[in-house]
Amino acid sequence: MPAPWRICCNKKSKTKNGKAETDNMAEKSEKMQMKKEITLLNGVSLIVGNMIGSGIFVSPRGVLMYSASYGLSLVIWALGGMFSLFGALCYAELGTSIVKSGASYAYILEAFGAFVAFIRLWSSLLIIEPTTQAVIAITFANYIVQPIFPHCEPPYDAVRLIAAACICSLTFINCVNVKWGTRVQDIFTYAKVMALILVISVGLYKIGKGETENLRAPFEGSATNPGMIALALYSALFSYSGWDTLNYVTEEMQNPERNLPLSIAISMPIVTIIYLLTNIAYYVVLDMSAILTSDAVAVTFGGETLSYAKWIIPIAVAMSCYSGLNSSIIAASRLFYVGAREGHLPDSLSLIHIKCFTPVPALLFNGLMTLLYLLVEDVFLLINYYCFNYWLFVGLSIAGLIYLRYTQPRRPRPIKLNLFFPIVYCLCSLFLVIVPLYSDTINSLIGVGIALSGIPAYYLGVYLPFDKRPKCLQWLSATTTKYVQMLFYCALSDLDIDMEPTAAKSK
């Protein structure tokens, strides 16, 4: 007996001339799968747009606070860029040898199996993705509302409603067309890079005029405590996170064997140079106490230097948030889509729109989860729970590269790195796992608890054979899939159908 979702996918209808046609477009020459519409330029915009978030505008002070000098902080920013480049190069090898969307989830699944991959997916679903997106949306809303309430706290409801509108608008754009999403990403990434170039230009102009008093003894008072330096490096590395964005959409890239590594090679130096030059500009204009006490360093910088044009900075922060949120929505929706395709989430999330070729159910699910997290008043506190999980799974995926080198030596690898790079980054990831466990033990353990709460879900929804799963779950899954298909005009992609026997065998 065919599965319930196949009955709906293959339902026939009559055309005007009386001939039958299938809703799943089987008779059409065009393949039913997401299109390869992401170009090299789109790839660079996705990586740069996600890495350069609001942090460099609002609070680049973590590195300076722990390093205690301008000189050492710049060295740590450069080291953070170098370590992140190592991780990105490892992902270039993984992304070209395992040509699947889903980034670390897909690589962990390939290397370490279904259980570890499911726990990684569960952590993203419950805490990492919705919390990150909710925080970005709220930051966007705050900077939009701030000019209207310059001398007081903006209304709570207004901020949350604007944040919800931001999430809904980007979800709609990405549901309609992949190209619409990438165009939004391109435009807003260019805008925020131009804003940072403005900041950098002002800083270079000041240096050219000889206003370098703040930089005359750059290493004076530098931290010598290894623990403080470690926390400074941790802050820098966290600011560089987002270099794995493109690996979430590998299947939608044009010529991924070429464009994925090339996008990484172009993006990483751009971001590192922008971070270094922007911080130099801040240091030239503002003294250390002003940077460490400012709630929005770029806004303070603009107030000191841009005079009547200082309004540019809050708008730039809002645009940066919009771009970062867009890339996060694109990545998260593909993660949930691939997870459902592998049988780790409900089948309804593995469907794509018949005409738009976008993962509409996964996008709507991601949007709904983020909207629910907007209802949490202290959503910013939730971000503390996932630092441990995030770096643990990034490290595991790169450890998977080393493991696959030995277990699958004949796997085609268009790019093959020296093992020095993954080993160094694994050690770096170990450091990033230990730091939050040491410095924020309670929140890290809560994060671990959230991840492990996925064990019962894995047992009931993945580990048990289909016929032994609770009947209510079977009915709920089949009913949801049926109505999602009818409501959103979706179907299984060709790739899903081809992979189904493998997925069933693995279960």
Side-chain angles (χ1 to χ4, degrees):
M1 180 179 174
W5 58 87
R6 289 193 178 280
I7 295 172
C8 187
C9 279
N10 294 324
K11 190 175 73 173
K12 292 186 177 182
S13 59
K14 292 280 184 177
T15 58
K16 290 181 181 178
N17 59 10
K19 291 184 179 179
E21 64 176 334
T22 57
D23 285 343
N24 70 352
M25 302 172 66
E27 296 173 17
K28 295 189 179 181
S29 58
E30 194 171 25
K31 270 196 167 185
M32 188 60 206
Q33 59 185 211
M34 288 194 284
K35 303 303 173 189
K36 293 182 178 291
E37 294 186 323
I38 297 177
T39 63
L40 174 63
L41 186 60
N42 297 147
V44 172
S45 294
L46 278 168
I47 296 173
V48 172
N50 203 13
M51 288 182 71
I52 302 178
S54 60
I56 192 65
F57 291 98
V58 181
S59 57
R61 61 189 177 191
V63 178
L64 183 60
M65 181 170 62
Y66 293 117
S67 60
S69 76
Y70 287 156
L72 183 57
S73 71
L74 291 174
V75 170
I76 287 171
W77 277 110
L79 283 174
M82 185 179 71
F83 281 129
S84 299
L85 178 61
F86 283 13
L89 290 173
C90 294
Y91 264 46
E93 176 178 326
L94 285 165
T96 52
S97 59
I98 304 170
V99 191
K100 286 183 180 180
S101 298
S104 58
Y105 166 76
Y107 310 146
I108 291 170
L109 180 66
E110 188 75 21
F112 302 116
F115 175 70
V116 182
F118 180 85
I119 295 300
R120 187 261 179 270
L121 181 65
W122 185 259
S123 299
S124 288
L125 186 152
L126 275 191
I127 193 78
I128 296 175
E129 301 299 344
T131 300
T132 304
Q133 291 171 31
V135 166
I136 295 172
I138 291 167
T139 305
F140 166 84
N142 274 318
Y143 277 87
I144 290 292
V145 175
Q146 188 183 38
I148 305 170
F149 301 93
H151 305 298
C152 63
E153 192 76 18
Y156 175 88
D157 291 340
V159 169
R160 297 299 165 121
L161 285 171
I162 291 171
C166 174
I167 293 161
C168 292
S169 66
L170 285 172
T171 300
F172 172 76
I173 287 167
N174 283 285
C175 282
V176 172
N177 197 312
V178 173
K179 271 294 178 190
W180 286 18
T182 55
R183 281 174 190 152
V184 166
Q185 189 65 32
D186 293 346
I187 292 166
F188 282 86
T189 298
Y190 300 153
K192 72 172 156 187
V193 169
M194 290 302 294
L196 287 171
I197 288 173
L198 173 63
V199 170
I200 291 165
S201 300
V202 171
L204 294 177
Y205 173 73
K206 294 282 186 184
I207 291 171
K209 285 178 64 180
E211 298 180 19
T212 56
E213 291 84 1
N214 293 343
L215 301 179
R216 281 182 184 161
F219 289 93
E220 185 179 343
S222 295
T224 55
N225 184 329
M228 297 297 283
I229 294 171
L231 287 170
L233 184 58
Y234 177 80
S235 296
L237 286 167
F238 198 81
S239 297
Y240 280 103
S241 61
W243 45 259
D244 57 347
T245 305
L246 201 55
N247 293 71
Y248 284 94
V249 293
T250 307
E251 294 169 22
E252 296 170 72
M253 288 195 71
Q254 297 173 2
N255 192 7
E257 289 80 5
R258 171 186 176 272
N259 288 344
L260 177 62
L262 198 53
S263 297
I264 289 168
I266 293 170
S267 304
M268 294 304 296
I270 288 174
V271 174
T272 304
I273 291 167
I274 286 175
Y275 275 2
L276 285 169
L277 292 179
T278 303
N279 277 288
I280 289 171
Y282 291 155
Y283 298 164
V284 168
V285 173
L286 304 171
D287 60 31
M288 191 176 295
S289 61
I291 293 173
L292 294 178
T293 56
S294 174
D295 290 328
V297 176
V299 174
T300 305
F301 176 93
E304 292 284 337
T305 59
L306 298 179
S307 186
Y308 294 108
K310 63 185 179 182
W311 55 268
I312 293 173
I313 299 298
I315 290 175
V317 177
M319 289 191 298
S320 183
C321 292
Y322 202 72
S323 167
L325 181 59
N326 184 61
S327 59
S328 183
I329 286 172
I330 291 171
S333 62
R334 271 55 177 187
L335 173 62
F336 299 147
Y337 164 77
V338 173
R341 192 176 68 190
E342 297 292 341
H344 290 173
L345 288 177
D347 296 309
S348 55
L349 299 182
S350 69
L351 306 174
I352 63 173
H353 195 276
I354 287 175
K355 291 184 177 178
C356 300
F357 302 101
T358 54
V360 172
L363 281 160
L364 294 175
F365 173 76
N366 175 73
L368 180 61
M369 286 293 293
T370 307
L371 290 173
L372 288 174
Y373 274 66
L374 283 182
L375 300 176
V376 179
E377 189 168 350
D378 294 328
V379 68
F380 284 84
L381 295 178
L382 297 178
I383 225 162
N384 298 324
Y385 299 153
Y386 81 70
C387 296
F388 177 88
N389 293 355
Y390 177 82
W391 293 113
L392 174 65
F393 291 120
V394 169
L396 267 178
S397 61
I398 292 179
L401 184 154
I402 302 169
Y403 179 74
L404 290 172
R405 284 282 189 93
Y406 290 101
T407 58
Q408 300 179 18
R410 296 185 181 179
R411 174 187 281 272
R413 291 177 172 87
I415 292 176
K416 192 172 183 179
L417 295 175
N418 188 300
L419 282 177
F420 168 79
F421 293 99
I423 288 170
V424 167
Y425 198 82
C426 280
L427 293 174
C428 184
S429 297
L430 184 63
F431 158 74
L432 290 167
V433 167
I434 291 171
V435 167
L437 197 60
Y438 169 76
S439 63
D440 196 8
T441 308
I442 299 299
N443 285 331
S444 296
L445 291 177
I446 291 171
V448 173
I450 291 169
L452 295 180
S453 69
I455 293 175
Y458 175 80
Y459 178 77
L460 291 173
V462 180
Y463 181 78
L464 286 177
F466 183 79
D467 57 341
K468 291 187 178 179
R469 293 175 194 171
K471 298 296 181 184
C472 59
L473 289 181
Q474 294 182 37
W475 175 85
L476 182 63
S477 176
T479 305
T480 304
T481 303
K482 175 183 174 182
Y483 286 106
V484 164
Q485 285 179 329
M486 292 191 293
L487 184 60
F488 300 115
Y489 202 49
C490 294
L492 291 171
S493 68
D494 290 341
L495 182 60
D496 297 338
I497 295 166
D498 293 340
M499 291 175 66
E500 192 172 311
T502 309
K505 189 176 180 181
S506 68
K507 291 177 190 177

